[in-house]
Amino acid sequence: MILVTGATGNVGGAAVRRLCAMGEDVRALVRSPERADLPAETDLVRGDLSDPSSVEAAMHGVDGVFLVWPLMEAEPVLPVLEAVRPHAERIAYLSASGVDPAAEEQGDPVTGVHARVERAIAASGLHWTLVRGGGFAANDLGWAGQVRGGGSVVRTPFPDARRAVVHEDDLADVAIRALTSDGHAGKAYTVTGPEMLSETERVRILGEAIGRPLKTERQGLDEARAGLAAAGLPPEATEAILAAHADFAAPGHTEELHTAEEVTGLPPRSYRQWAADHADDFR
Ligand SMILES: NC(=O)c1ccc[n+]([C@@H]2O[C@H](COP(=O)([O-])OP(=O)(O)OC[C@H]3O[C@@H](n4cnc5c(N)ncnc54)[C@H](OP(=O)(O)O)[C@@H]3O)[C@@H](O)[C@H]2O)c1
């Protein structure tokens, strides 16, 4: 039995669906089972990662955990790992490609949390695998509000920012391999998509997926800040995101890797595939 956290989100949800399709026993730790839109065969358990006793209660029969950690603090992971350790042998952790394992301090608060969780997991005694995700293609769902209902323009502060964004199914597949096959303990996999694409190129591909032309328009930084604040992001996270995107727009920025293929034996999914899979979110 594999326990998945963050199971109503992009990557955890993909993992649950893929595990169910493989016929594996899956339990999803969710805060609101009544709202979870997951396959019927999922064992839904109410729980909260900030309440380790709820994790403990979800652990019976579990031998592997896919840990998605959405909390903005790392320290609460320690009692969660304590709850996991007597039961599970393996843990796969969804981390971020921005983590520099050699650095004392990380570049922004989010990678700081991931780095501290990574260290706690490495010290846990569990057989661990780190799945360090590059930029998620799913972040582009943030554009859906501008497109749904006939919009043709996506306003974004860095239309030239180029990333090899990754399909959530590739992150899920790498985590599942780590949890269901041998040879992945102690490994850190940085998982990106297969090709560097600017935001303008991705918006064009999204337009092709939904059958009408879309384009980007450069948004002022103040407007972008206001939008991120309205979405609930704290100011330091907003600034970190904007600074990162300025770097992604710099000439020579590259991040394309083919780790998913090395682990799963399958080529990484293209952005075109992601756009087709999510076209209805933009219609
Ligand atoms: N976006 C990127 O480009 C990127 C890149 C690398 C790594 N990451 C990392 O990926 C993770 C997010 O993954 P995602 O995009 O798949 O998630 P997501 O779609 O943002 O969903 C977050 C999930 O966490 C759950 N959750 C929130 N607070 C919780 C709590 N206290 N206890 C239990 N569950 C809780 C939510 O459940 P509810 O339904 O209850 O709200 C939801 O299932 C973060 O750690 C992020 O730093 C992101």
Side-chain angles (χ1 to χ4, degrees):
M1 167 84 77
I2 290 179
L3 178 76
V4 179
T5 72
T8 58
N10 298 306
V11 184
V16 170
R17 288 184 189 91
R18 301 191 72 69
L19 283 162
C20 286
M22 290 163 65
E24 293 277 346
D25 290 335
V26 193
R27 184 170 297 146
L29 181 97
V30 293
R31 290 188 292 183
S32 306
E34 57 286 356
R35 289 211 315 264
D37 180 18
L38 291 167
E41 56 270 43
T42 313
D43 182 13
L44 288 173
V45 173
R46 187 184 301 276
D48 191 308
L49 289 165
S50 59
D51 172 10
S53 66
S54 70
V55 179
E56 169 70 44
M59 285 305 300
H60 57 94
V62 168
D63 42 40
V65 174
F66 181 28
L67 184 67
V68 177
W69 186 259
L71 274 55
M72 285 301 289
E73 305 170 285
E75 287 62 35
V77 83
L78 294 170
V80 167
L81 293 173
E82 285 299 315
V84 165
R85 192 171 32 211
H87 304 271
E89 192 182 341
R90 290 176 171 154
I91 188 165
Y93 174 58
L94 179 64
S95 186
S97 61
V99 170
D100 176 355
E104 199 57 34
E105 291 273 316
Q106 303 296 319
D108 67 77
V110 175
T111 46
V113 170
H114 284 302
R116 291 199 296 283
V117 173
E118 283 189 4
R119 260 180 253 133
I121 288 172
S124 68
L126 291 156
H127 290 182
W128 54 266
T129 306
L130 306 176
V131 182
R132 292 193 180 125
F136 293 179
N139 294 342
D140 293 356
L141 291 169
W143 295 334
Q146 299 181 70
V147 172
R148 261 196 311 258
S152 61
V153 174
V154 169
R155 291 176 58 71
T156 172
F158 295 102
D160 303 328
R162 297 174 75 241
R163 302 211 72 184
V165 293
V166 59
H167 196 305
E168 56 275 9
D169 286 353
D170 282 333
L171 295 162
D173 281 351
V174 171
I176 289 169
R177 281 295 171 119
L179 292 170
T180 58
S181 60
D182 293 335
H184 305 288
K187 300 267 175 70
Y189 296 123
T190 297
V191 184
T192 70
E195 54 184 341
M196 295 292 287
L197 292 169
S198 70
E199 296 192 356
T200 297
E201 289 166 326
R202 303 209 304 272
V203 164
R204 184 177 46 72
I205 291 168
L206 279 173
E208 288 164 12
I210 64 170
R212 59 191 170 79
L214 299 176
K215 63 177 185 177
T216 52
E217 203 170 82
R218 191 178 294 275
Q219 178 187 46
L221 283 178
D222 285 344
E223 186 188 328
R225 277 192 188 96
L228 290 167
L233 248 74
E236 72 270 31
T238 294
E239 293 311 317
I241 286 175
L242 293 176
H245 280 75
D247 289 345
F248 302 147
H253 170 70
T254 185
E255 54 186 34
E256 180 190 322
L257 300 168
H258 290 268
T259 315
E261 185 157 16
E262 285 163 30
V263 178
T264 66
L266 297 169
R269 292 165 176 86
S270 65
Y271 188 75
R272 193 167 292 282
Q273 175 72 57
W274 185 86
D277 292 345
H278 290 275
D280 284 349
D281 293 313
F282 293 87
R283 287 201 173 104

